[in-house]
Amino acid sequence: MAGKSFKYVIIGGGVSAGYAAREFCKQGVKPGELAIISKEAVAPYERPALSKAYLFPEGTARLPGFHVCVGSGGERLLPEWYKEKGIELILSTEIVKADLAAKTLVSAAGEIFKYHILIIATGSTVIKLTDFGVQGADAKNILYLREIDDADKLVEAIKEKKNGKAVIVGGGYIGLELSAALRINNIDVTMVYPEPWCMPRLFTAGIAAFYEGYYANKGVKIVKGTVAVGFNADSNGEVKEVKLKDGRVLEADIVVVGVGGRPLTTLFKGQVEEEKGGIKVSDDFLHHINATIIVCSFLAFVVSSSSNPSELNLSRSISVNGAFISYFTILLEISTWRVFRDILAAIKSNEEGKTIDVYDYLPFFYSRSFDLSWQFYGDNVGDAVLFGDNDPASPKPKFGSYWIKDGKVVGVFLEGGTPDENKAIAKVARVQPPVENLDVLTKEGLSFASRK
Ligand code: FDA
Ligand code: NAD
């Protein structure tokens, strides 16, 4: 069986793949040893830009401006960079079959790729309302956002439906970021989500009250406690109305759906063990790298990040649809380079017959919308203590929350932090200082973190 052969193949050309390529180079990969195979038509880019500056009417981000690794302040890897380094970037190529026993991949066009070590970085895909058979969910202008092609469709719709109406289905990351982006484009926006407050898997009621108030002040309407159960379209097949379970009907020229995602693991079905929607990786994952498969999914890291996985807050990662998507986020920011440095160090150690330390990971999430920006580190379990100025009408709101479990700080959230303050909350989440009195902590607020 002919075909191209590589020492390392990364399937997927997203954020992880780009950061991995940079790390491979640092580790001295030789020309011709590494290939990245991606179904996207462009070199790896910072996906978070798609729900933010890519959609802004001013200061718009476009490629090649946001190829990785600019998101972490690193070098921007243009397609030429891969060429110079002898890394084969195989774009617009979807792998449709992976035979892990034969170490062979087959593309939709029938090309064959052989590898010695496979790195799975296929990320995740959006959950669609058509997956649940929601009536009318295939109408035109019902849009999703995962890849750059999706973002281009959104940009087109925003142009075409100037000053029109949008309904955003979902109150998570996509819901909050897209509502803001569309509102900035002067679209009339209504958000719809089933929970009592937005982003419930991370926000407490107190945190959410601030964002809901802030969004309302910006003119975003919020409909909570119900879901979209159907859509009406006009004679062109374009969406016109969203029917809600509580009987209300909302007008819409554009619908954006952000109801979660699921890891893309189908290629490996029956060949790897699965757990909760992801590929299961054993506790001693990093010691098993000679298995020649490396899974760049959160699950890989969560189970390797503690010798006692039950201590980890897995529940937070399970969206309403049961996928581990939130944790794919981890690969992006602070950790990506670290994760890959550690993986590649592990490959090297393994080649040299050495073992390596268990991977130590601190969960991190962030988001930006309107003039707001928050960061969160650690775990959101135990008692939550809100502090600071969380009045949505404040000219400069700054507030946060600590989570206290077993007398220790285990997680910290901060809206409006400076770089130093964000560093301080990250440190506190890692060090987990003891807390004797929750009332005192409420009063001390951010200064507790800043003096640690
Ligand atoms: P990613 O999805 O980036 O890449 C997967 C790649 O694999 C894609 O190129 C895909 O086409 C390709 N692929 C899949 N199957 C394939 C196959 N069979 N053959 C070939 N190629 C295949 N996170 C955060 O921390 N802060 C933020 O602000 C944001 N913002 C944000 C906005 C939007 C719109 C999205 C969709 C996501 C975010 N995220 C985020 C999450 C972040 O983007 C996400 O964690 C990373 O993209 C995950 O990186 P991966 O490389 O694992 O997957
Ligand atoms: P999410 O899991 O963050 O939120 C999904 C929301 O949709 C939840 O509020 C959920 O209850 C709600 N929902 C579920 N079914 C619904 C229905 N039928 N009708 C209305 N609402 C419903 O997922 P998302 O917002 O779609 O984002 C997908 C992934 O994209 C995220 O998990 C994240 O990895 C990534 N992302 C991250 C960022 C960031 O980190 N800043 C930004 C954008 C996207």
Side-chain angles (χ1 to χ4, degrees), residues 7 47 82 97 144 166 234 251 284 315 359 425:
K7 184 168 181 190
R47 198 169 301 290
Y82 297 86
K97 189 168 176 242
Y144 297 83
D234 64 12
E251 287 177 41
D284 51 357
S315 60
Y359 188 66
I425 64 162

Side-chain angles (χ1 to χ4, degrees), residues 12 14 16 39-40 47 51-52 95 146-147 328-329 366:
S16 306
K39 72 178 165 62
E40 289 192 84
R47 198 169 301 290
S51 54
K52 304 175 186 73
I95 296 300
R146 181 77 211 174
E147 298 190 346
F328 280 68
T329 305
Y366 76 93

Side-chain angles (χ1 to χ4, degrees), residues 86-306:
I87 297 172
E88 198 148 341
L89 199 52
I90 303 168
L91 300 176
S92 305
T93 301
E94 183 176 8
I95 296 300
V96 291
K97 189 168 176 242
D99 183 337
L100 299 182
K103 294 190 174 184
T104 301
L105 307 172
V106 182
S107 76
E111 299 144 291
I112 291 163
F113 303 96
K114 307 272 292 173
Y115 60 84
H116 174 59
I117 290 185
L118 178 65
I119 296 164
I120 300 172
T122 43
S124 62
T125 187
V126 292
I127 291 170
K128 297 199 165 179
L129 294 180
T130 44
D131 298 346
F132 313 115
V134 174
Q135 174 264 319
D138 53 356
K140 287 183 199 147
N141 290 331
I142 298 182
L143 302 171
Y144 297 83
L145 181 56
R146 181 77 211 174
E147 298 190 346
I148 201 156
D149 292 354
D150 304 319
D152 286 336
K153 283 184 200 146
L154 259 162
V155 169
E156 271 311 298
I158 291 169
K159 261 195 221 148
E160 205 186 300
K161 305 293 177 189
K162 207 165 182 283
N163 305 328
K165 289 189 161 97
V167 171
I168 312 292
V169 179
Y173 283 104
I174 292 284
L176 285 167
E177 292 187 6
L178 268 288
S179 297
L182 267 71
R183 192 69 203 105
I184 292 166
N185 279 284
N186 209 30
I187 303 265
D188 180 292
V189 175
T190 305
M191 292 178 77
V192 180
Y193 45 87
E195 299 96 344
W197 63 79
C198 62
M199 193 79 86
R201 63 190 163 119
L202 175 61
F203 291 178
T204 59
I207 294 176
F210 166 81
Y211 292 98
E212 292 178 354
Y214 192 97
Y215 274 52
N217 291 345
K218 293 280 184 189
V220 175
K221 285 160 262 178
I222 298 180
V223 178
K224 301 192 250 186
T226 190
V227 292
V229 289
F231 299 91
N232 292 329
D234 64 12
S235 54
N236 296 324
E238 293 190 359
V239 70
K240 279 290 147 219
E241 287 176 336
V242 183
K243 293 186 276 183
L244 304 183
K245 196 174 181 182
D246 66 8
R248 276 182 275 186
V249 176
L250 305 173
E251 287 177 41
D253 305 299
I254 302 172
V255 173
V256 181
V257 182
V259 296
R262 65 168 68 93
L264 275 169
T265 55
T266 37
L267 279 175
F268 313 102
K269 282 246 173 299
Q271 304 184 73
V272 291
E273 223 180 307
E274 289 188 64
E275 189 175 83
K276 293 182 179 161
I279 294 173
K280 186 175 178 191
V281 184
S282 67
D283 230 5
D284 51 357
F285 160 70
L286 288 176
H287 297 272
H288 280 254
I289 286 207
N290 58 352
T292 69
I293 304 165
I294 298 166
V295 185
C296 296
S297 74
F298 174 70
L299 201 51
F301 303 117
V302 78
V303 270
S304 60
S305 69
S306 164

